[in-house]
Amino acid sequence: MCGIVGYAGGRDVVPVLLNGLKKLEYRGYDSAGLAIVAGGRLEVKKTKGRLGALCSLMEGRKAPGAVGIGHTRWATHGEPSFENSHPHTNCAGDIAVVHNGIIENYQKLKKWLQQEGVVFVSETDTEVVAHLINRFYEGDLLAAVKAAVSHIEGSYALGVVSEKHPDMIVAAKKDSPLVIGAGRGENLIASDIPAILEYTRDVLFLEDREVAVITRNAVSIFDEYGMPAEREAYHVDWDAAQAEKGGYEHFMIKEIHEEPRAMADTLMSRCRDGMIDLSDIGIDEALVRDISKVGIVACGTAYHAGMVGKYIIEKLARIPVEADIASEFRYRDPLIVPGQLMIIISQSGETADTLAAMREAKKRGAKIAAIVNVVGSTIAREADAVLYTHAGPEIAVASTKAYNTQLMAIYMIALELGRLSGHLDTADYQRYVQGLNRIPALMNTVLQTKDQISRFASQQFSQSSVFFIGRGLDYVLSMEASLKLKEISYVHSEAYAAGELKHGTIALIEDGTLVVATAMQRSLFDKTVSNIKEVKARGARVLAVCFEGSDMPADIADEVIRLPETDDIFAPLLAVTPMQLFAYYMTVEKGFDVDKPRNLAKSVTVE
Ligand code: M6R
């Protein structure tokens, strides 16, 4: 979950590396560093804390035409400190390494190297890589890196420079993302595309166990057997500006405002003349003829999108659905039945638990369809078929627009499964597709609730605990609302099925406790209202979310957010945005870093 970047070209390498790290800071931000080979010398600068501290350290330092690598860290082995910051070097200080991933056998390797006299200065797993490369170095840096990685178990994306090879970066990858930017007279490496977009839009994806040599004028890729590997460039068609704040105070609020466009783009990529077409990802008559079960696997917010999927696929297609948290699925000896479709959901396409769960399901014979946002990511490449969401780059750690587009994708799958299985007749199918098509426009109205929500948050931000309640799809939505609030505002919160409160949790409701109640399932409206009355009677303050025309009793809600009318099944698509806005404004009021919450990282590439 760290970010790595590297540059070989004619520009001043310092700002190129610092700009690249800035774009990768979402991956980790507890320390940063860089290594430059200039004038035949390797120079390493690193510091604990945010990137700003490294920028100050590098002020005035210019290194045109030098090669360099940089790193922004999310600590896994050892606390954030100067010693544990990357780059790490060998004892002589002439080889430097940046790493993203986890070296699982580092203790064993460390012991062996220590017996050979190596003195370690950090607690990290990465430092063993620098010493291993040194151990195998016999004048050929590429050969030394290859030998080193052949001893490593675990995951890695590596950038390596050495003062003995002042023109080159050696890169290697396994189970952690790494892209190569192919420019003119300059080439780059990075953990993610936004870090290189300013310099080139042509990207090569390194595959697992490959190594590459990057110089100013060439990129050479070698497979695990040392044979040259051909790679076609992928041309990135989105803009660098899409990865900038564009006048908004934070990425998160910008990304929330992009939701109508992102949802429309995701829908339009698959929907023409009132028909959805998913045949290219294998959702067709043949699949439905044999289908016995659908499995959905994901983590965090993407899992919550999967839970919505469970409710709507079962409702519209009457096919049994199991939704699993990826880190549980992979170890629970899951039962995959013949004809099972597995839907894997991931914004980044790199989440380690999700990737491992997907591999497990594949090994057990499931057919894999992935819903992924990042084009060319590992999950996208390894799945049998991909339904790309069109959220564009999502930078804020808290996922917003990516979730909305994951929902869009899930609704499309559910509608297609419903149509193909014959459980939705043509009239219902068309009515639902039209309803789905209206959502992006309705979202613009939903966004207008932001002043009301901001005002409410300014009165509530000192709450120490918030409960989100709802029934059916409103409950699933509450799970996402609760995650959003806790991950960025650090306010304790829980999501509860409204009917379940009375079985224990209602004991926590006292005078002034904030309860956010969603009542957008018309068939369950009266029951939810009864549950709201139960908490109100115990002194709760209530924020209610319902449709415009709902008959929400005036005496039970302190604040009511009214959303445009749509079919009940689409409620999560509209109702999640006010929840994201609520989490956002609560966090702004508390003065915390909205885009980079503590202890988290955007892309969780470790187990
Ligand atoms: O990239 P992914 O969608 O696979 O990420 C999964 C989760 O780590 C992610 O959704 C996480 O829960 C977000 N921080 C939520 O806002």
Side-chain angles (χ1 to χ4, degrees), residues 248 252-261 447 450:
Y248 287 93
M252 183 176 173
I253 191 72
K254 175 189 175 239
E255 289 162 3
I256 291 173
H257 280 86
E258 288 169 350
E259 287 172 358
R261 197 258 329 134
L447 284 169
K450 70 178 181 184

Side-chain angles (χ1 to χ4, degrees), residues 156-381:
Y156 55 81
L158 294 169
V160 182
V161 291
S162 161
E163 66 181 34
K164 294 187 183 124
H165 303 267
D167 302 327
M168 69 163 68
I169 301 169
V170 178
K173 167 192 160 23
K174 183 181 161 273
D175 293 337
S176 290
L178 192 70
V179 298
I180 299 173
R184 291 199 178 153
E186 56 185 354
N187 292 304
L188 304 98
I189 60 167
S191 298
D192 197 1
I193 294 172
I196 56 174
L197 264 195
E198 215 177 310
Y199 313 102
T200 177
R201 282 161 170 256
D202 292 326
V203 173
L204 312 173
F205 295 102
L206 209 58
E207 300 288 347
D208 279 352
R209 297 178 196 282
E210 287 183 338
V211 290
V213 174
I214 291 98
T215 62
R216 178 192 284 221
N217 294 312
V219 172
S220 316
I221 301 177
F222 302 92
D223 67 17
E224 61 180 305
Y225 308 106
M227 300 303 289
E230 292 291 314
R231 194 61 30 87
E232 248 177 65
Y234 167 78
H235 189 73
V236 180
D237 57 6
W238 44 270
D239 218 70
Q242 281 183 265
E244 304 289 344
K245 278 191 206 145
Y248 287 93
E249 202 181 336
H250 302 102
F251 279 111
M252 183 176 173
I253 191 72
K254 175 189 175 239
E255 289 162 3
I256 291 173
H257 280 86
E258 288 169 350
E259 287 172 358
R261 197 258 329 134
M263 292 165 90
D265 287 355
T266 303
L267 183 60
M268 292 334 291
S269 70
R270 299 289 177 164
C271 186
R272 293 265 179 291
D273 305 324
M275 290 296 288
I276 294 162
D277 183 1
L278 302 176
S279 51
D280 68 314
I281 65 159
I283 297 187
D284 54 16
E285 279 89 1
L287 174 100
V288 171
R289 225 180 3 252
D290 300 335
I291 203 163
S292 49
K293 187 170 112 182
V294 173
I296 305 181
V297 170
C299 297
T301 286
Y303 167 71
H304 295 152
M307 283 296 291
V308 173
K310 174 180 165 59
Y311 277 60
I312 57 166
I313 293 170
E314 288 190 343
K315 183 176 172 62
L316 300 182
R318 308 308 290 163
I319 299 168
V321 182
E322 255 174 34
D324 271 272
I325 291 169
S327 55
E328 288 297 313
F329 176 87
R330 60 187 290 196
Y331 295 119
R332 76 164 168 83
D333 195 9
L335 186 63
I336 304 287
V337 294
Q340 175 159 345
L341 172 70
M342 285 299 297
I343 301 175
I344 308 293
I345 311 177
S346 176
Q347 186 285 129
S348 62
E350 300 292 348
T351 302
D353 284 320
T354 311
L355 179 60
M358 178 178 87
R359 288 176 176 162
E360 187 62 37
K362 209 171 178 179
K363 205 168 78 192
R364 291 172 186 242
K367 184 177 164 44
I368 311 287
I371 297 173
V372 175
N373 191 42
V374 177
V375 175
S377 55
T378 311
I379 291 176
R381 292 201 307 273

Side-chain angles (χ1 to χ4, degrees), residues 12 63 83 97 129 157 182 207 223-224 283 294 315 334 354 386 396 411 414 428 436 455 477 531 573:
D12 180 357
E83 290 77 15
V97 175
V129 184
E207 300 288 347
D223 67 17
E224 61 180 305
I283 297 187
V294 173
K315 183 176 172 62
T354 311
V386 190
Y411 277 88
D428 279 343
L436 199 57
R455 218 173 26 248
L477 163 84
N531 299 133
L573 287 162

